[in-house]
Amino acid sequence: MGQRGTDHDTAAFAVESIHRWWHGQGQAAYPQATQPLITADAGRSNGYRTRTWKLQLARPAAETGLTVTVCHLPPGTSKWNKIEHRLFSHITMNGRGHPLTSHEVIIESIATTTTRTGLRVTAQLDTNAYPAGVAIDDAEIAALPLPRHAFHDDWNYALHPQPAPAIPAARSPQTPTQKWDQAPLSEPAPTGLSSHELDDLTQVLAPDGDTGHGRPPRLAFPDQVLATMSHPRVNLAAQPLAVLYGSSHTAIHRTLLKIRRLLDVHGISVSPATTPPTVLATHRPGHPPSPGHRPKQRPQQQDQDDKLMICKPIAKQLQALPRAELVRSVVGPSRGYVLGRSPERITVLDVVKAIDGPGPAFVCTEIRQRGPMATPPEACTAPCAIAAAMASAESAWREALWAVTIADLARQVEAGYGEGALARIGAWPRPGGAPEE
């Protein structure tokens, strides 16, 4: 049975189609039925997020005394629905080449659909009005007899028969609730990073995390990084983060899992704050900052950021080292890189291979086999003289680099620049010039 409407495609229209089918065909075809099953798409008027769909579906359940079970197909899999192949495809083929100039033509095109295996279609025109903008609050949903299944309870549930709830009328647009001011979330206190460092971290993670494939995320990628950094730093759970960023608990949970995996891949860890930051307590939706509130950015912090900007070319090279487990990144007040293992176990060759890759520096392209005086490939049984010389040189410099460790370099720096040189270098980017303890 097919139904065509003349108004909005709402949940009420979808449920009315089910209601007409049951009284027109279903009740006679299945007189012993007690628990009909509805397979629905994940979105649009009968989507699993649509509250009006659930409230409207309680009406036929109460009228018929049936327990209506609903199983939604996962998002993006509407073509799994068998109705697409058993009915809709044949309706489409039957109506091809026919201009759909009126509702009557559409109904006739649907109703004349047949197949050799015995498909017959009944079509009706629904001229009822189905206003959009019907809002359902939490109390109305909570009052529904809506037991959910153990597996994916958001997609699978049932509606038991009970007195039908009142269907609210369409409401006029309301002034949206003011959102939280998100500016304080990017300050150093909740994240442990300055604005420059947060931008750099976002750029490091973006190639693997901001792919642009699939469904558009509810949060922009910089906000995903920002939320994930606040999660362990100030012990904010997924639900408060969802409120702060105007998202859902599920979306925030998935975001945290994704960005944490990226941080682990890059060897980046987040240090918890030693004292809870007060910046979140001084900001509320619709409330300006208190007169005594000042940004946490300090002059020496800004100086440090300017110094770290000089290190950007070096930072690009450092991004390759965590993948080789030579260093790991530490986020927080003592941010920076620390060695992944003892300096005696890291050679200069390990660093070169991590940055440039394990392949040879010279790759022979067999130019002797090209040109007007090319040597036949079958005659090139041994490396050419140039390739042999380059291979010998590469073997020598690899052996030389393998013989020098990071500990050897540290001793040479101390010997050449005086005792305490490494401590002074390590203290340079830190506020106040104090070395990390």
Side-chain angles (χ1 to χ4, degrees):
M1 177 177 177
Q3 183 165 318
R4 178 71 184 186
T6 59
D7 202 36
H8 298 93
D9 179 15
T10 64
F13 171 71
V15 172
E16 178 62 22
S17 301
I18 298 171
H19 185 263
R20 292 190 182 191
W21 171 82
W22 175 254
H23 288 286
Q25 297 180 5
Q27 192 172 20
Y30 307 99
Q32 306 299 323
T34 59
Q35 190 173 355
L37 171 66
I38 297 174
T39 56
D41 290 346
R44 299 181 65 85
S45 59
N46 57 352
Y48 68 93
R49 293 191 183 98
T50 307
R51 292 184 169 191
T52 317
W53 158 256
K54 299 179 178 68
L55 194 68
Q56 289 282 355
L57 205 55
R59 179 169 59 90
E63 290 180 2
T64 61
L66 300 172
T67 298
V68 180
T69 300
V70 182
C71 294
H72 290 275
L73 295 165
T77 62
S78 63
K79 298 306 177 186
W80 292 3
N81 198 333
K82 295 186 182 298
I83 196 69
E84 295 277 354
H85 310 282
R86 294 180 178 178
L87 177 63
F88 291 166
S89 59
H90 299 293
I91 292 176
T92 301
M93 289 189 291
N94 186 62
R96 60 187 176 188
H98 297 166
L100 304 178
T101 56
S102 65
H103 290 110
E104 289 73 19
V105 172
I106 296 173
I107 294 298
E108 182 181 358
S109 175
I110 296 174
T112 56
T113 301
T114 59
T115 65
R116 285 178 293 182
T117 56
L119 175 66
R120 299 293 182 271
V121 181
T122 301
Q124 295 180 358
L125 182 65
D126 186 351
T127 58
N128 294 333
Y130 297 101
V134 176
I136 311 298
D137 58 32
D138 294 341
E140 291 168 312
I141 287 294
L144 291 177
L146 191 70
R148 298 181 180 272
H149 295 185
F151 177 75
H152 258 298
D153 58 357
D154 50 345
W155 296 348
N156 306 291
Y157 50 87
L159 280 157
H160 289 287
Q162 75 169 24
I167 306 298
R171 302 173 184 175
S172 57
Q174 300 178 356
T175 303
T177 304
Q178 285 186 298
K179 293 185 177 180
W180 287 73
D181 180 13
Q182 295 185 5
L185 301 176
S186 58
E187 293 186 7
T191 62
L193 299 175
S194 68
S195 57
H196 291 316
E197 291 173 312
L198 193 60
D199 291 341
D200 291 343
L201 178 62
T202 303
Q203 293 176 7
V204 169
L205 302 180
D208 298 322
D210 193 11
T211 58
H213 300 311
R215 176 182 294 183
R218 299 186 68 168
L219 287 179
F221 189 72
D223 288 337
Q224 295 180 33
V225 176
L226 187 59
T228 307
M229 296 301 295
S230 305
H231 175 60
R233 171 75 178 164
V234 295
N235 198 24
L236 276 178
Q239 188 58 45
L241 285 172
V243 175
L244 290 170
Y245 287 91
S247 184
S248 68
H249 178 277
T250 302
I252 287 292
H253 180 67
R254 292 173 180 170
T255 294
L256 295 178
L257 291 177
K258 180 182 79 171
I259 302 300
R260 280 205 299 257
R261 281 195 295 266
L262 293 178
L263 292 174
D264 290 341
V265 168
H266 289 272
I268 299 174
S269 58
V270 183
S271 303
T274 54
T275 57
T278 59
V279 63
L280 297 179
T282 56
H283 289 73
R284 293 290 184 270
H287 292 74
S290 58
H293 174 72
R294 292 290 183 270
K296 299 297 181 181
Q297 189 91 350
R298 300 171 300 175
Q300 59 261 44
Q301 177 70 44
Q302 186 63 52
D303 293 341
Q304 182 193 16
D305 296 338
D306 294 339
K307 293 174 182 177
L308 290 177
M309 289 292 287
I310 303 174
C311 300
K312 272 194 171 182
I314 302 176
K316 282 192 173 182
Q317 303 297 330
L318 286 173
Q319 293 171 15
L321 301 184
R323 301 188 186 98
E325 300 182 351
L326 300 182
V327 302
R328 57 184 177 87
S329 180
V330 178
V331 179
S334 58
R335 52 195 170 272
Y337 290 91
V338 296
L339 294 179
R341 51 181 185 259
S342 64
E344 290 80 7
R345 296 176 53 207
I346 303 176
T347 69
V348 177
L349 182 61
D350 292 332
V351 178
V352 172
K353 289 168 65 176
I355 296 175
D356 295 336
F362 175 78
V363 178
C364 180
T365 58
E366 286 290 353
I367 59 173
R368 58 182 172 171
Q369 297 180 18
R370 299 196 297 267
M373 301 180 64
T375 303
E378 57 272 15
C380 300
T381 57
C384 69
I386 296 177
M390 295 299 294
S392 177
E394 180 162 346
S395 176
W397 73 260
R398 282 181 178 268
E399 288 182 5
L401 296 182
W402 178 79
V404 180
T405 67
I406 299 299
D408 296 332
L409 293 180
R411 285 190 289 269
Q412 292 177 24
V413 170
E414 291 281 354
Y417 295 93
E419 186 177 355
L422 288 177
R424 292 193 299 273
I425 295 173
W428 168 66
R430 303 184 187 281
E436 181 184 8
E437 295 181 0

